[in-house]
Amino acid sequence: MLTTITRRIRGLAVIGAALVCLNPAWAADYPERPVTAMVPFPAGGSTDLMARAIAQELTDSLNTNVVVDNRSGGAGTVGLAALARARADGYTIGVVPAAPLVNQPHMHRTPYDLDAFDYVCQFFESPQALAVKSGSPFSNLKELVDYAQAHPGELTYGSPGPGSLPNLAMEQFLEKAKVDITHVPFAGDGPGVTALMGGHVDLYMTMSNVIADRDLKSVAIFSEQELDTLPGVQTAAAQGYDMTASWWGGVIAPKGIPDDARDALEKSCLQATESERLGKVLDRLGTQAVYLGPADFRAKVESISETNGRLIEKVLKNRS
């Protein structure tokens, strides 16, 4: 009798081991090894610093190391191409700003599209604002638009370059306002803001924190709500122009990661955006923690990609 029972127990153990081999997910819960977070920009920049901050939060909540891997080049496209080719097992994720997703595929042929990724969460966002120098006669959008309508093509605005998020936001606003203001591109916010302060351009579209940190004023914030950092400045929507614009991004992964990995990463992202530690890092970088779950994040990417694609086509056509 004892021998028969022993044989049955051994048989069940063999069957159980075989089933575990057939389905490794039964062997351990996700994650069972470190996770790599690809960043499509160099070390030391804003995206890299945010990636390292959220990687620390994910490390704590997932109880495994989340290691940052910088894959820079091609304005973010090199890193996203590498991410799209990575194994969809949940152990390679990406921390990305919006532009390589919603802008670059419309400007160049990229080895990925929006369907190449799973969208885990948005975790940061920084509203854009339209800046003027402190002595500007413009204090709101009505004054600006009235003048631009009476003097078409006279005013100039600066941005970090054609196809950048601020450039496209400004072009969207000009469409809504039905005015003609000449674009002057710069190689980044540094020279652009300097030109604005020196009176070489009349307006500059940039992130709200850039204005708050300098002797500038803003005629509108392109956010859903007013900001404490720019007291008294109304949103564009409150001034009659129904649009928002911001620098934003989040966590994505190669298309088709397992459900348990997606669920764990989504939960960890939500916890991260509620973290005081992450909030302090984002605040120093001039942005803030704003969470969107997978469905809303993907919908936002698709919607803005469609809008920016149309605007990029218009911008490139005007340059030719």
Side-chain angles (χ1 to χ4, degrees):
M1 177 70 70
L2 184 60
T3 301
T4 300
I5 293 175
T6 302
R7 288 174 178 171
R8 289 178 178 173
I9 292 174
R10 288 176 177 173
L12 290 172
V14 171
I15 293 171
L19 289 173
V20 168
C21 291
L22 288 172
N23 189 351
W26 289 15
D29 293 333
Y30 173 90
E32 58 180 341
R33 63 178 187 272
V35 174
T36 296
M38 286 188 179
V39 181
F41 290 95
S46 295
T47 302
D48 173 70
L49 295 176
M50 287 191 293
R52 294 180 187 277
I54 196 168
Q56 182 60 61
E57 301 299 329
L58 297 181
T59 291
D60 292 350
S61 58
L62 293 173
N63 198 29
T64 192
N65 286 332
V66 178
V67 182
V68 171
D69 179 11
N70 296 92
R71 300 285 188 97
S72 60
T77 59
V78 171
L80 258 67
L83 180 65
R85 294 193 302 268
R87 181 176 296 177
D89 56 6
Y91 290 95
T92 302
I93 60 176
V95 180
V96 301
L101 284 168
V102 301
N103 287 7
Q104 292 301 326
H106 300 293
M107 301 176 71
H108 314 281
R109 180 174 294 180
T110 57
Y112 61 84
D113 59 22
L114 300 186
D115 290 332
F117 306 106
D118 280 343
Y119 296 85
V120 178
C121 76
Q122 174 187 302
F123 75 90
F124 74 89
E125 185 166 358
S126 180
Q128 295 184 43
L130 186 54
V132 295
K133 65 179 184 179
S134 57
S136 171
F138 305 125
S139 299
N140 54 54
L141 291 181
K142 183 181 186 307
E143 294 174 353
L144 170 64
V145 170
D146 286 348
Y147 186 91
Q149 287 176 342
H151 304 83
E154 178 182 322
L155 295 177
T156 57
Y157 83 90
S159 83
S164 64
L165 290 174
N167 170 223
L168 300 179
M170 189 63 182
E171 289 299 319
Q172 186 179 5
F173 167 70
L174 296 181
E175 282 186 350
K176 290 181 176 293
K178 296 181 174 59
V179 293
D180 179 18
I181 298 178
T182 303
H183 180 217
V184 180
F186 293 91
D189 281 335
V193 170
T194 299
L196 176 66
M197 296 177 71
H200 303 295
V201 292
D202 301 297
L203 313 159
Y204 193 81
M205 181 70 86
T206 186
M207 303 307 152
S208 56
N209 66 292
V210 174
I211 300 171
D213 294 342
R214 291 166 174 82
D215 184 23
L216 298 169
K217 66 178 183 178
S218 175
V219 295
I221 307 165
F222 290 82
S223 59
E224 294 182 356
Q225 298 179 339
E226 295 183 12
L227 300 180
D228 293 338
T229 53
L230 292 176
V233 180
Q234 288 188 311
T235 66
Q239 299 184 61
Y241 298 94
D242 185 19
M243 62 170 288
T244 59
S246 62
W247 180 56
W248 51 277
V251 177
I252 63 176
K255 183 71 174 181
I257 63 173
D259 290 344
D260 61 337
R262 185 184 301 105
D263 292 345
L265 289 167
E266 178 189 350
K267 180 179 178 181
S268 295
C269 275
L270 177 57
Q271 291 177 355
T273 58
E274 297 171 345
S275 164
E276 181 179 354
R277 178 173 58 182
L278 178 67
K280 288 181 178 179
V281 174
L282 296 182
D283 183 63
R284 290 197 299 269
L285 295 171
T287 186
Q288 55 192 330
V290 176
Y291 175 82
L292 287 179
D296 289 337
F297 184 27
R298 181 184 178 100
K300 180 174 183 176
V301 168
E302 291 176 342
S303 175
I304 294 182
S305 175
E306 181 179 356
T307 298
N308 286 7
R310 179 182 59 78
L311 293 169
I312 286 170
E313 183 178 359
K314 174 184 173 183
V315 168
L316 296 180
K317 182 179 180 180
N318 290 341
R319 290 180 64 194
S320 61

